[in-house]
Amino acid sequence: MRVLVVGGGGREHALAWKIAKSPLVDKIFCAPGNAGIAQLAECVPIQATEIAGLVDFAERNRIGLTVVGPEAPLIAGIVDAFEARGLPIFGPSTDPARLEGSKTFAKELMQAAGIPTAAYWTCRSLAEAQAIVRAYYTQNGPEVGIVIKADGIAAGKGVIVAGSQAEAEAGLLRIMGERVFGAAGDVVVIEERLYGEETSIMAITDGETIIPLVPSQDHKRVGEGDTGPNTGGMGAYSPVPGIPEDTASVVMERILRPAVRAVRELGIPYRGVLYAGIIVTADGPKCIEFNCRLGDPETQAVLPLLESDLVPLLMGVTDCTLDKQEVRWRGGASASVTAVSKGYPGEYEIGKVISGLELFVGQEDCLVFHGGTRLEDGRTVTDGGRVLSVTGLADDLRAAVARAYEGLDRLHFEGMSFRRDIAARALQSVD
Ligand code: AMP
Ligand code: GLY
């Protein structure tokens, strides 16, 4: 079978790497791919959001399965377009993808389905939002935190976690006044701030059966000690030792199952990956967001732990036979650390030569997944903010983290930076 992977980041590199191990697959294409993916797949110069071009490509090249990495094409209707032409594709169609595309839709669905989540208010004007923030602080006192979220998608960066009223009001001015996220700031969702350990639980579902992947934890802030602005993700590890052991099963019963059922009852079943962003509060796990796809860099941490062939799972979704599939995990732990360009998540330069990549050839327990990279005159150069992730695998988390950092220390590009504290809090909790 021929498989097309849509996207060109570290998540798509990890997907292509895992799919390439399947005996069911003869050839992989990737649109648009990157320099690392090009070692496993034929990269085609079609952007992930050029839906018509991707449909034509899949039809002409007799693609048996298309797997979509990023959210933008899912929200824009890539699955609907492929299905209209009878082409098998893994991911939710536009309607269910609103779980990520619209925070208000997600919140309303959570409330209707009784899914535990933070209290929230939807605001359509700056004045309304300012009034909500003031009333919240009048009622709860100056000690509490509050969260401001631009309603549209803003690449994971449209969220301000405020510790005080002044910070919250400054955030509102940025999102709704200055429009730093553009039209994503037309509507904001204001939320009660939850406190507790965060975890991501990604599940594969065909709308009936749900197979959860091992829990992972992302590190969203750019700086060590969780400081500085939010990013797409600076590193992840899996599993997560700092949360109660029953977290995954509680999330399954109280969050994933009710969400999949509620979407099905709206008419179009959810098929693909449903990603629940969780904060494990003193009252148990609460859902802070849904994503309609795999996380980046969570995928680079989770997929290397999957022992089973991924392709039958993906196909079990496209032909609704997921109940026939079994999943095996290899045990142990993984840690994936993302190296970024100087200046990220603000402005950064690209085109810097990356050295040391050849040292990873043949390595099984230290893997490099490329994000923003491209080939230029036979050399691999940086081409984005998040440049690459190094995943270490080992029997325990401490060894996995050490392996990831040993790997990173062998790599170099001008302006390269990464967080030195991925999984540090989790390691303290297992001491
Ligand atoms: P989101 O884009 O909704 O995932 O939010 C980005 C990040 O903001 C999350 O990963 C959390 O770290 C944080 N966050 C979002 N909502 C809340 C909340 N209600 N309470 C505390 N932190 C939150
Ligand atoms: N790493 C967060 C995300 O992919 O949404």
Side-chain angles (χ1 to χ4, degrees), residues 11 71 100 156 200 218 220 231-233 275 289 291 293-298 386:
R11 163 184 50 210
E71 62 277 17
E100 173 161 5
S200 309
D218 186 13
K220 291 226 163 88
T231 67
Y275 165 138
E289 63 164 348
N291 291 323
R293 36 89 198 164
L294 289 164
D296 185 335
E298 293 90 324
R386 291 194 293 170

Side-chain angles (χ1 to χ4, degrees), residues 85-255:
R85 300 268 276 270
L87 295 163
I89 182 163
F90 177 85
S93 50
T94 34
D95 234 58
R98 282 185 297 159
L99 276 185
E100 173 161 5
S102 162
K103 291 200 189 281
T104 45
F105 174 77
K107 277 298 210 180
E108 280 162 17
L109 183 128
M110 284 191 244
Q111 207 168 43
I115 294 171
T117 185
Y120 75 103
W121 300 265
T122 303
C123 304
R124 290 171 205 283
S125 73
L126 179 59
E128 188 188 357
Q130 285 167 329
I132 295 285
V133 168
R134 284 170 199 151
Y136 184 81
Y137 276 94
T138 308
Q139 198 174 347
N140 298 294
E143 302 299 311
V144 295
I146 198 166
V147 182
I148 317 275
K149 301 185 175 184
D151 187 47
I153 47 168
K157 295 159 207 153
V159 175
I160 293 172
V161 181
S164 66
Q165 181 172 348
E167 247 181 83
E169 293 201 17
L172 278 180
L173 278 177
R174 276 167 52 75
I175 296 179
M176 296 194 102
E178 295 162 30
R179 297 286 163 134
V180 289
F181 303 119
D186 286 350
V187 178
V188 297
V189 174
I190 296 180
E191 281 186 16
E192 151 201 25
R193 180 168 173 187
L194 300 174
Y195 293 89
E197 205 57 57
E198 265 189 65
T199 184
S200 309
I201 300 201
M202 306 185 279
I204 297 179
T205 177
D206 61 3
E208 295 279 345
T209 304
I210 306 171
I211 297 183
L213 308 182
V214 276
S216 56
Q217 188 180 60
D218 186 13
H219 295 64
K220 291 226 163 88
R221 302 288 192 102
V222 73
E224 282 162 15
D226 294 325
T227 53
N230 264 341
T231 67
M234 296 295 290
Y237 65 91
S238 175
V240 183
I243 55 176
E245 257 175 48
D246 66 350
T247 303
S249 60
V250 174
V251 168
M252 183 72 166
E253 295 314 318
R254 299 200 56 200
I255 296 171

Side-chain angles (χ1 to χ4, degrees), residues 18 202-204 211-216 238-239 294 298-299 301-310 313 326-334:
K18 186 66 187 162
M202 306 185 279
I204 297 179
I211 297 183
L213 308 182
V214 276
S216 56
S238 175
L294 289 164
E298 293 90 324
T299 305
V302 168
L303 280 188
L305 294 176
L306 179 65
E307 199 168 84
S308 316
D309 188 345
L310 177 65
L313 297 176
E326 273 181 29
V327 181
R328 288 182 320 279
W329 297 94
R330 56 160 263 170
S334 68

